[in-house]
Amino acid sequence: MERVLTIAGAAAQGSAGIQADLKTFQERNVYGMSAITATVTNQSRTEKKIFLRTIEEIEAQLYTAVEKVGIDAIKTGMLFSTTIIERVVTFIARNKSPPYLVVDPVMIGKMGSQLLADDAIEVLKKQLIPLATIITPNRLEAARLLNKKIPETVEELKAYAVQLHELGGSYVFVKGGKMEGKAVDVLYDGESCHIYETEFVDTIHTSGAGCSFAACLTAELAKGVEIRDAIEISKSYVYYAIKHSLSFGKGGWAPFNQQPTACFIILVNKGSGGGVIIII
């Protein structure tokens, strides 16, 4: 079984971050491990809502994963601080980075929490992103990384993907959200842009969607799935998870369902030669 490590924050409500990643890894049949960088608690009782873990604890988690299990792929999510990013980069360098590194540049939570310190953005861009197999920003994060306005059209989304590729990662996947009535995303592979479109599901039950997409992508890459097929699988996984989302009657951003169906089928295009059926 392939071994996958997520380095991210824990979401106390269970819908995003480490919790979403581990649920997704389990669904995608890989062995999931975690290094928790912080705990995010969106609640009304206490003023403080983000609690950072110590560097010593974070490093201990990272090296436990290496020494006790081994790593085939890494996914990063909420790292929050310059110091944490620098230690993660050092860890990757010392351990001869696994073949696949998926960087989800988490910056702002759906409830409005700032999940990446302002002074950490440049460190993320200059030290971690260049190591990435693929980065998976949403359009707000893409704009923040480039210091530009939020893209509003597919053409702007494509332009941002090309510019983000200049930061050094091998692939860029920008999640556009709702554009022109559909859910639109763009992959740039260093030579050309590929557009992905699905039905837009009009719901607030999307907490953890970005985390789970990146986690599913990490799992598929670890299993040796080609990157465009891995993206197709991950998009289908998230689409059905949103379609079959959960609601506990508490209001606000509700969780989507990391176990949307026991099995679903997608068709991955293989050019003019037809297609291959993949059982999820």
Side-chain angles (χ1 to χ4, degrees):
M1 182 179 286
E2 288 76 15
R3 306 154 298 175
V4 181
L5 171 69
T6 172
I7 309 170
Q13 77 275 22
S15 62
I18 290 290
Q19 285 86 340
D21 292 346
L22 291 177
K23 291 172 187 176
T24 301
F25 293 158
Q26 188 78 8
E27 282 295 291
R28 302 312 307 141
N29 197 35
V30 296
Y31 185 82
M33 299 168 286
S34 64
I36 302 173
T37 59
T39 302
V40 180
T41 61
N42 289 308
Q43 38 73 41
S44 60
R45 290 294 187 95
T46 66
E47 182 177 346
K48 188 174 182 180
K49 293 178 172 59
I50 296 177
F51 301 83
L52 294 183
R53 303 301 178 96
T54 67
I55 292 299
E56 182 181 21
E57 180 186 351
I58 294 169
E59 286 190 325
Q61 294 175 84
L62 296 173
Y63 286 103
T64 298
V66 169
E67 293 177 12
K68 301 300 182 183
V69 181
I71 303 169
D72 296 308
I74 292 176
K75 178 232 170 189
T76 64
M78 174 190 172
L79 300 177
F80 193 81
S81 73
T82 292
T83 303
I84 293 173
I85 295 171
E86 290 176 340
R87 293 301 177 92
V88 169
V89 169
T90 299
F91 167 76
I92 291 171
R94 283 179 178 172
N95 290 279
K96 298 179 181 179
S97 177
Y100 305 104
L101 172 63
V102 176
V103 174
D104 187 15
V106 175
M107 295 184 176
I108 301 173
K110 284 187 171 65
M111 300 297 289
S113 303
Q114 183 171 349
L115 304 180
L116 183 68
D118 291 333
D119 63 358
I121 295 176
E122 286 303 309
V123 178
L124 179 77
K125 290 165 61 175
K126 293 179 180 178
Q127 295 190 33
L128 185 61
I129 287 178
L131 304 178
T133 304
I134 185 169
I135 64 172
T136 62
N138 60 37
R139 63 176 180 165
L140 279 71
E141 292 159 346
R144 189 76 178 275
L145 287 169
L146 294 172
N147 291 317
K148 292 178 176 288
K149 71 178 185 69
I150 297 171
E152 299 177 351
T153 67
V154 176
E155 288 305 311
E156 287 180 339
L157 211 62
K158 290 164 64 177
Y160 280 34
V162 172
Q163 292 170 53
L164 285 169
H165 190 267
E166 295 174 3
L167 297 178
S170 298
Y171 294 88
V172 176
F173 187 81
V174 184
K175 299 168 288 188
K178 187 178 183 180
M179 284 188 169
E180 302 173 6
K182 297 181 179 180
V184 181
D185 307 305
V186 172
L187 171 70
Y188 183 64
D189 60 10
E191 296 182 356
S192 58
C193 287
H194 306 274
I195 309 299
Y196 295 82
E197 294 182 349
T198 59
E199 171 198 2
F200 179 76
V201 182
D202 190 8
T203 178
I204 63 171
H205 300 171
T206 58
S207 179
C211 301
S212 295
F213 172 84
C216 184
L217 182 58
T218 307
E220 298 308 315
L221 292 175
K223 291 187 283 188
V225 177
E226 192 273 331
I227 195 156
R228 293 191 61 182
D229 290 348
I231 288 172
E232 291 279 9
I233 293 169
S234 302
K235 278 189 61 65
S236 293
Y237 176 74
V238 169
Y239 170 77
Y240 282 98
I242 293 174
K243 286 277 283 187
H244 299 275
S245 58
L246 305 172
S247 177
F248 299 109
K250 297 292 186 178
W253 291 98
F256 83 178
N257 184 4
Q258 274 94 0
Q259 296 177 299
T261 55
C263 175
F264 61 86
I265 300 175
I266 63 171
L267 179 68
V268 178
N269 292 327
K270 292 291 185 180
S272 59
V276 58
I277 298 295
I278 297 180
I279 306 298
I280 304 299

